[in-house]
Amino acid sequence: MPFVTQRKVRFQHCDPAGIVFYPRYYEMLNSVVEDYFAESVGHDFNRLHVESRTGVPTAHIETDFHAPSRLGETLTFELTLRDVGRTSLTLRTLAHCNGEPRLTSHFTLVYVDLDSGRPLPWPDDMRRHFAKDCQQGYQDE
């Protein structure tokens, strides 16, 4: 089952034409990941970054933009885990507005030690959560 959250398109997200400027989607995607870790995994970014000195930087991202999003619209983001590795997590996020697809993004996060920058194995509690959420073998539409 995907993690679902919404984001309202604000003035700060838009270019002069009133549509989302594509880099702002990446800020929204990052906030969706942050919410997933806080609300679903139980490890908010303060706990990860400040208390544990770990992080989950993006190692790879691939995005298809299907249609423009406009100021004032509410986008629904559906984050689905695709694969969990020893140190990585592969995700797919779909964004839509009233059922109309706006973007599909596939990305890989890596769990790292912030001091050394080196990858770390996922802690057991996080790995168990990911395994529960993971939909390995999911077929793209």
Side-chain angles (χ1 to χ4, degrees):
M1 178 158 236
F3 173 78
V4 179
T5 188
Q6 295 185 321
R7 296 289 181 276
K8 184 172 184 170
V9 176
R10 301 189 180 282
F11 182 76
Q12 70 189 26
H13 300 129
C14 296
D15 64 16
I19 62 173
V20 174
F21 181 44
Y22 77 93
R24 301 298 170 248
Y25 278 120
Y26 290 110
E27 293 171 349
M28 289 184 219
L29 288 167
N30 190 71
S31 72
V32 170
V33 168
E34 190 169 342
D35 287 353
Y36 169 72
F37 272 83
E39 297 171 23
S40 186
V41 181
H43 288 262
D44 66 24
F45 273 26
N46 180 63
R47 182 174 175 189
L48 284 172
H49 292 83
V50 177
E51 296 173 16
S52 300
R53 296 291 305 145
T54 58
V56 288
T58 301
H60 175 81
I61 192 162
E62 192 175 309
T63 305
D64 292 313
F65 301 95
H66 307 297
S69 298
R70 302 189 183 285
L71 181 61
E73 292 181 329
T74 299
L75 303 177
T76 300
F77 288 83
E78 298 177 10
L79 182 149
T80 305
L81 276 66
R82 300 296 305 276
D83 191 24
V84 58
R86 190 176 76 80
T87 64
S88 65
L89 190 62
T90 303
L91 311 165
R92 181 182 77 166
T93 301
L94 304 174
H96 57 86
C97 181
N98 298 321
E100 179 186 22
R102 299 303 173 85
L103 71 84
T104 303
S105 189
H106 296 87
F107 48 105
T108 302
L109 306 176
V110 178
Y111 186 62
V112 300
D113 178 295
L114 291 180
D115 295 322
S116 70
R118 305 289 304 162
L120 295 170
W122 291 107
D124 289 341
D125 63 328
M126 292 173 75
R127 176 173 287 289
R128 279 191 299 274
H129 186 84
F130 298 149
K132 176 182 61 98
D133 284 354
C134 191
Q135 295 183 2
Q136 293 182 7
Y138 181 91
Q139 297 297 313
D140 286 328
E141 300 167 351

